């Protein structure tokens, strides 16, 4: 389990970025590439890059499809904050959309609030599988904040422990 860094402990932060973009599906690819470029100085493996990009895709897609109900409005914004805390990536993806009434149910694999769009209901499951830690905070009619953590260089860290 990754040690969670409290916001007040900034002594180990080595870099951070904040991006706000329109909640349109086209920006999912932009978000993926921005985070991939952001973690490049940590020399991630291809697997780590793929894991992070997949989790980002799911979080941004959830904000667009579920948070803003796929309105594709330039007025709706997705906020993404990335922080490097040593070799740990912390990503926050937030929206000011409809929120989630029952987070526990929403995190169940195969659950989707938009079955008419043929959604798989695996977004949170993928985020949990590809990142080291996942936190979801949401309030109906106020929005959702997804926070994910990933240690970059974990495979080389494990190899050096043997």
């Amino acid at each position: 389990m990754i040690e969670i860094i409290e916001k007040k402990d900034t002594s180990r932060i080595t870099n951070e970025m904040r991006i706000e973009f329109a909640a349109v599906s086209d920006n999912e690819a932009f978000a993926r590439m921005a985070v991939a470029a952001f973690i490049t100085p940590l020399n991630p493996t291809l697997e780590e890059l793929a894991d992070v990009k997949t989790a980002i895709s799911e979080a941004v897609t959830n904000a667009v499809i579920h948070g803003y109900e796929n309105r594709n409005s330039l007025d709706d914004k997705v906020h993404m904050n990335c922080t490097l805390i040593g070799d740990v990536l912390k990503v926050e993806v937030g929206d000011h959309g409809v929120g989630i009434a029952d987070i526990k149910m929403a995190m169940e694999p195969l659950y989707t609030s938009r079955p008419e769009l043929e959604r798989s209901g695996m977004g949170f499951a993928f985020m949990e599988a590809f990142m080291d830690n996942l936190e979801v905070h949401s309030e109906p009619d106020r929005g959702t904040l997804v926070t994910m953590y990933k240690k970059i260089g974990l495979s080389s860290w494990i190899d050096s422990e043997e």
Side-chain angles (χ1 to χ4, degrees):
M1 178 65 63
I2 296 297
E3 175 187 354
I4 306 302
I5 309 298
E6 291 187 37
K7 288 185 184 240
K8 65 184 177 190
D9 180 11
T10 59
S11 63
R12 295 190 281 170
I13 293 177
T14 55
N15 200 1
E16 63 183 333
M17 74 167 181
R18 300 183 196 297
I19 301 174
E20 176 184 274
F21 48 88
V24 296
S25 295
D26 290 344
N27 284 332
E28 175 265 330
F30 165 72
R32 288 168 49 101
M33 296 311 293
V35 176
F38 181 72
I39 64 173
T40 298
L42 294 179
N43 198 24
T45 64
L46 290 176
E47 182 179 348
E48 289 166 338
L49 270 175
D51 289 353
V52 168
K53 288 167 63 176
T54 299
I56 297 304
S57 290
E58 295 298 332
V60 171
T61 297
N62 277 358
V64 172
I65 299 289
H66 301 288
Y68 292 117
E69 300 179 322
N70 209 26
R71 292 187 296 241
N72 284 308
S73 168
L74 296 178
D75 295 329
D76 297 331
K77 303 295 183 196
V78 175
H79 307 269
M80 187 169 69
N81 301 326
C82 298
T83 307
L84 290 179
I85 307 156
D87 58 357
V88 175
L89 170 66
K90 175 183 177 184
V91 180
E92 297 172 303
V93 177
D95 64 67
H96 297 288
V98 300
I100 302 171
D102 187 338
I103 294 173
K104 185 176 178 180
M105 182 172 51
M107 292 183 74
E108 286 293 319
L110 304 178
Y111 172 79
T112 181
S113 64
R114 302 298 303 267
E116 73 279 7
L117 297 178
E118 298 182 18
R119 307 304 304 173
S120 70
M122 295 299 291
F124 285 126
F126 287 151
M127 286 181 244
E128 282 185 307
F130 292 121
M131 300 297 272
D132 296 323
N133 193 33
L134 171 70
E135 301 168 2
V136 180
H137 301 281
S138 188
E139 289 183 46
D141 301 319
R142 301 225 27 194
T144 301
L145 178 66
V146 173
T147 305
M148 302 175 283
Y149 296 84
K150 177 80 170 175
K151 181 173 176 50
I152 305 299
L154 184 60
S155 58
S156 61
W157 177 76
I158 291 171
D159 292 341
S160 68
E161 292 289 312
E162 296 175 353

